[in-house]
Amino acid sequence: MACRFEVVIEATDAAWARAAAEQALAEVTLWHTRLNRFDKASDISRINQCAQTRPVRVDGELFELLALCQRAGQVTGGMFNPLLPTGVKDSNSSASGACIAADGSDQMQRRSQTAVAAPVVPSLLLDAEAGTVQFVDSDAIGEVALDLGGIAKGWALDAAADSLVQSGVSLALLHGGTSSVRAIGTPPGMNGWAIQVGDGSAAPALVAGRERLIVHLADESLSISAHYGRPEGHVVHPRTGLVIHPDRHAGPEMAVVTCRSAAWAEVWSTALLLDPGLCAQGEQNAPHEQARFAAVRNTSAWNVCYGSNVGSNPAATAQLAATL
Amino acid sequence: MLDLSRREFIASSAGAMAAVAILPDLAGAARTLAGPVNIAIVGCGRQGRAIITELAQLENVKIVAVCDTEQARADGASKRAQNAEAFTNINAMLEKVKTIAAVIVATPTHLHKDPVVAALAAGKHVYCEAPMAHTVADAKAIAAAAAAASKQVFAVGFEGRSNPVYKLARTFFRSDAVREVVAIEGKQFQKTSWRFPSSDASRDKLVNWRLDKDVSLGLPGEWGSQAFDVAMWYTDKVPVRVRGYGSIRLHSDGRTLADTVHCEMIFADELRMGYDASLANSYETRHELFRGANAAIKLAWTHGWMFKEADAATQGWEVYANRQRFHNDEGITLIADATKLASQGKLKEGVGLPYTSLYYGLYDFVSAVDSGKAASCDGAAGLRSTVVAIACAKATAENGEVTINPADLKL
């Protein structure tokens, strides 16, 4: 997953806490191994190799994750889709990479050779009885591949958090690459683990004039999606299969979402980055895994899509603080 | 006639030895068996979970039942195995699910005997995780039960014997490519406490059986036995005595079993295998090294390399082989299925195995069940390697030397 995972545990027994942390991080390692599409021994590589032409059998855990991906595609109107044209990889890593505005319209810079703006979106065909997965509707855009990206990180964090809870941990904070966070419990005297969202600049201090966002997490997760991170961009528009250039996107520059599960937080932060109007749709279509708090930032201002520090979701409090 | 260039021809010839050694198709497609094989898994901890994941990659294999003394773990395994029926008692499982053809036992080492013997007595094929047992008596009881069930497949999870890279390397080892073996090394390092957290203090001893000196073989048994088995399989020799040294270098958390060990297996001709393992550092992870007068072979489960001596005869094909740099040395990559890959111009794609070592062990077992042939590691071979591991564990606990009793190696 190309990032550092860390866990903080409150405990009185250091040996026990270390063991709990090791088990949690072992879950991260396990899922990294299974979901890494660049490792030819991974489950994802095996699926990518065969699922274009036939159903591929997977175990119950991976099936559950793929079902989550399928559901995520449905509730986000296709704004989350881990099934992408394989040309994206090439375009993303080469000088002639494809760049496109977030709305997929008139700011397109270059097209990948294999990724075209196709109206047909490939999807997963899951057979619960047989425990198989197959790619469907992929013919129109050529070869496709699963790239779970952020949801893999969220899924691994969820597995790690579950491991901690099973071990008896009641207060902990985990993160993967700082953009995915999962909290267990609430620190005494606080209304959650306070997480300050950075502004994406290289400077450690926040830029004057830009709002600072602090989110309090209590038994929930936070995900941050942004266009920056790589000079040529890294967010792929699922409807076009093209990489969005960080300087040429039309929508928000960053999206922050809290959900109970880290995997769902990843889904919604990715989808809202591409289409902020999905907030309401999320509330309607994913009642059990809806984003409890969501905000997007355009240039310097945060816009809270929904959720606040009052009302029916006190656990998902958020504070919009003044600038430095 | 195929239109092959000289380079391709030589590269293809280089893989000839590999081709005969490799049974599984390495192209990545799912393995398909002739008939459906219904499997039950006993022991649903971390290893049981890994087994479920690997079995999902085998077509025509169905996990029909799972069993663990802890209900929650059995239920979790059931969910992972497409709702296989969950049990907390193996006898109840064997009694109720008549369609079970094979049982995979992944309980803690000291709890192997009862489920293995019960499954064999019920007429099931059995795969037993390695090492077979924590005592010679239990290991012999398992081997005896397997021998008595001669019409059933019994396999021990010494994975090197079914690993394509190890099988390929063994053909080199036993050819003139290595010649006289002068020394063997085995190493395994991982920074970990080896401790499992438990939310229930009363279960701590049960969960942390690997740290319990009364039932655990410690690092020599739980990790080292795999390396010992590879050495014994390659050389067709069993050591006559072993030495062991161990101490707690990092994890001073009340444990009594060493977290860092050094063992030595000494064969009748004074050939020695040194084995080092530690829970305090991760560098170099896990590998075996065979040093010969002509070459050294290094094996790291999914990868293998050969390092030739300057005065070793040139066999021509090495010039075109895939190579990898290791500081001052350059290794020839041992590639399974090299003939096929070379003919397709894809030799480099063959570097590293597409599946885990556990997968190949399970595939070997299920194939044996399917075909009626013997598994790569049977009860007799499993007994020998387990007895040596038990001796190494004893030597390490005593910081001394243990002589292998030849009677322990036979039924």
Side-chain angles (χ1 to χ4, degrees):
Chain A
M1 295 171 192
C3 63
R4 181 181 177 88
F5 282 76
E6 294 179 310
V7 55
V8 176
I9 297 171
E10 190 217 41
T12 53
D13 183 340
W16 177 84
R18 181 186 177 92
E22 284 176 354
Q23 291 310 304
L25 295 174
E27 287 292 327
V28 173
T29 302
L30 171 72
W31 285 107
H32 170 73
T33 303
R34 296 192 64 182
L35 304 179
N36 180 7
R37 71 184 175 100
F38 300 109
D39 178 355
K40 72 177 182 182
S42 75
D43 293 72
I44 293 301
S45 289
R46 184 170 57 89
I47 292 170
N48 284 339
Q49 200 168 17
C50 307
Q52 192 120 357
T53 55
R54 65 171 179 81
V56 176
R57 202 157 70 118
V58 298
D59 72 308
E61 287 183 285
L62 185 53
F63 189 90
E64 189 180 339
L65 170 57
L66 295 174
L68 191 158
C69 289
Q70 188 181 52
R71 171 80 175 140
Q74 292 163 354
V75 300
T76 61
M79 280 300 173
F80 176 87
N81 189 352
L83 203 53
L84 297 169
T86 53
V88 167
K89 179 184 69 176
D90 299 328
S91 64
N92 200 24
S93 58
S94 70
S96 60
C99 303
I100 190 172
D103 61 2
S105 59
D106 58 355
Q107 295 184 55
M108 186 182 299
Q109 298 298 305
R110 294 178 293 273
R111 282 172 183 257
S112 128
Q113 289 184 340
T114 54
V116 297
V120 177
V121 177
S123 59
L124 301 173
L125 177 63
L126 300 177
D127 183 336
E129 184 76 19
T132 59
V133 56
Q134 187 172 7
F135 302 161
V136 292
D137 292 334
S138 59
D139 292 348
I141 55 171
E143 196 171 328
V144 295
L146 269 176
D147 180 358
L148 299 189
I151 199 170
K153 195 162 59 168
W155 181 263
L157 268 185
D158 286 338
D162 290 347
S163 169
L164 289 176
V165 171
Q166 286 168 16
S167 300
V169 172
S170 57
L171 188 60
L173 187 74
L174 311 85
H175 80 85
T178 70
S179 63
S180 300
V181 185
R182 171 125 181 201
I184 297 172
T186 302
M190 301 181 70
N191 58 352
W193 292 84
I195 310 295
Q196 178 174 298
V197 180
D199 70 348
S201 65
L206 296 172
V207 178
R210 301 187 71 152
E211 287 180 328
R212 180 174 52 171
L213 179 67
I214 298 175
V215 180
H216 287 166
L217 299 179
D219 285 319
E220 61 186 342
S221 308
L222 173 144
S223 171
I224 304 166
S225 288
H227 289 298
Y228 61 81
R230 290 183 194 168
E232 71 277 18
H234 63 97
V235 178
V236 178
H237 199 293
R239 288 181 181 160
T240 62
L242 298 176
V243 179
I244 300 168
H245 194 284
D247 296 334
R248 303 188 186 96
H249 62 86
E253 62 183 28
M254 184 185 287
V256 175
V257 172
T258 70
C259 288
R260 195 187 63 78
S261 96
W264 274 104
E266 290 286 341
V267 167
W268 283 115
S269 68
T270 303
L272 290 179
L273 186 69
L274 301 176
D275 183 0
L278 284 169
C279 281
Q281 189 176 332
E283 286 184 292
Q284 289 170 5
N285 291 346
H288 302 298
E289 287 294 348
Q290 65 178 296
R292 301 185 188 184
F293 168 80
V296 296
R297 194 179 71 192
N298 296 290
T299 314
S300 62
W302 281 102
N303 173 35
V304 177
C305 301
Y306 61 83
S308 68
N309 55 355
V310 295
S312 59
N313 286 320
T317 58
Q319 297 174 353
L320 281 172
T323 56
L324 292 171
Chain B
M1 182 179 172
L2 287 173
D3 183 19
L4 291 176
S5 67
R6 171 181 153 72
R7 186 186 181 95
E8 287 169 335
F9 173 75
I10 293 175
S12 300
S13 303
M17 185 180 288
V20 297
I22 304 309
L23 293 175
D25 169 23
L26 300 172
R31 309 280 93 74
T32 302
L33 301 159
V37 179
N38 289 336
I39 287 180
I41 295 172
V42 179
C44 302
R46 186 163 291 274
Q47 187 66 7
R49 179 183 177 189
I51 287 168
I52 290 172
T53 298
E54 300 301 336
L55 287 177
Q57 301 182 55
L58 288 168
E59 302 287 354
N60 256 342
V61 166
K62 184 174 175 61
I63 301 172
V64 294
V66 293
C67 180
D68 194 288
T69 52
E70 189 181 336
Q71 184 72 54
R73 293 212 302 197
D75 291 342
S78 168
K79 192 177 168 188
R80 292 177 182 123
Q82 306 292 343
N83 298 317
E85 198 163 355
F87 295 87
T88 55
N89 181 289
I90 184 176
N91 294 320
M93 179 184 80
L94 293 171
E95 179 63 29
K96 185 177 179 191
V97 188
K98 299 295 185 189
T99 58
I100 295 170
V103 175
I104 295 175
V105 176
T107 56
T109 301
H110 65 289
L111 300 175
H112 282 170
K113 189 188 78 172
D114 288 348
V116 167
V117 171
L120 287 169
K124 312 301 181 187
H125 307 287
V126 173
Y127 177 98
C128 176
E129 276 294 346
M132 280 165 67
H134 72 306
T135 64
V136 172
D138 273 15
K140 293 185 85 165
I142 289 173
S150 58
K151 292 183 179 176
Q152 296 150 234
V153 173
F154 177 73
V156 184
F158 284 119
E159 296 167 6
R161 293 175 186 251
S162 51
N163 181 311
V165 166
Y166 279 54
K167 288 160 72 175
L168 169 63
R170 187 169 179 259
T171 62
F172 282 101
F173 178 82
R174 295 168 78 92
S175 74
D176 202 40
V178 173
R179 198 167 282 181
E180 298 84 4
V181 60
V182 297
I184 307 172
E185 299 165 21
K187 296 185 188 301
Q188 187 160 357
F189 302 109
Q190 184 184 357
K191 187 173 183 181
T192 172
S193 68
W194 234 25
R195 184 181 288 283
F196 287 90
S198 174
S199 56
D200 181 354
S202 65
R203 288 180 51 80
D204 189 68
K205 189 176 173 70
L206 184 67
V207 169
N208 286 302
W209 61 271
R210 287 193 301 183
L211 301 177
D212 183 351
K213 63 181 174 54
D214 292 334
V215 298
S216 174
L217 297 178
L219 288 169
E222 293 305 319
W223 281 2
S225 60
Q226 292 281 356
F228 303 156
D229 180 68
V230 170
M232 292 162 63
W233 177 48
Y234 268 46
T235 59
D236 275 338
K237 294 174 182 174
V238 177
V240 291
R241 63 187 195 279
V242 299
R243 290 184 185 141
Y245 312 92
S247 58
I248 296 169
R249 311 304 307 167
L250 178 66
H251 301 289
S252 302
D253 54 5
R255 72 184 65 194
T256 54
L257 276 176
D259 64 13
T260 302
V261 303
H262 173 77
C263 302
E264 201 173 34
M265 296 199 310
I266 303 139
F267 296 88
D269 60 358
E270 288 299 312
L271 172 67
R272 289 161 194 250
M273 174 184 188
Y275 178 78
D276 290 285
S278 179
L279 302 173
N281 184 277
S282 302
Y283 177 64
E284 287 195 310
T285 59
R286 173 179 177 178
H287 66 263
E288 294 84 39
L289 182 68
F290 294 85
R291 294 181 188 273
N294 270 358
I297 287 179
K298 182 176 181 179
L299 301 167
W301 291 98
T302 54
H303 293 70
W305 304 269
M306 184 162 68
F307 302 84
K308 294 199 69 174
E309 289 298 320
D311 62 354
T314 301
Q315 294 174 289
W317 54 263
E318 298 108 320
V319 177
Y320 303 99
N322 188 67
R323 291 165 184 272
Q324 192 171 337
R325 193 82 192 162
F326 292 84
H327 188 46
N328 288 328
D329 300 300
E330 191 173 66
I332 297 171
T333 313
L334 299 175
I335 299 176
D337 230 1
T339 304
K340 186 175 172 182
L341 292 168
S343 68
Q344 298 168 344
K346 297 178 178 176
L347 198 57
K348 281 194 174 180
E349 292 180 21
V351 177
L353 291 174
Y355 295 98
T356 65
S357 196
L358 172 62
Y359 168 86
Y360 292 107
L362 295 170
Y363 174 70
D364 179 80
F365 169 63
V366 179
S367 297
V369 171
D370 191 46
S371 66
K373 296 177 182 173
S376 290
C377 186
D378 61 13
L383 173 63
R384 287 193 291 274
S385 295
T386 299
V387 166
V388 170
I390 292 168
C392 283
K394 185 169 188 291
T396 303
E398 297 170 352
N399 277 334
E401 182 172 302
V402 171
T403 300
I404 304 287
N405 180 358
D408 289 345
L409 303 169
K410 298 173 184 172
L411 290 177

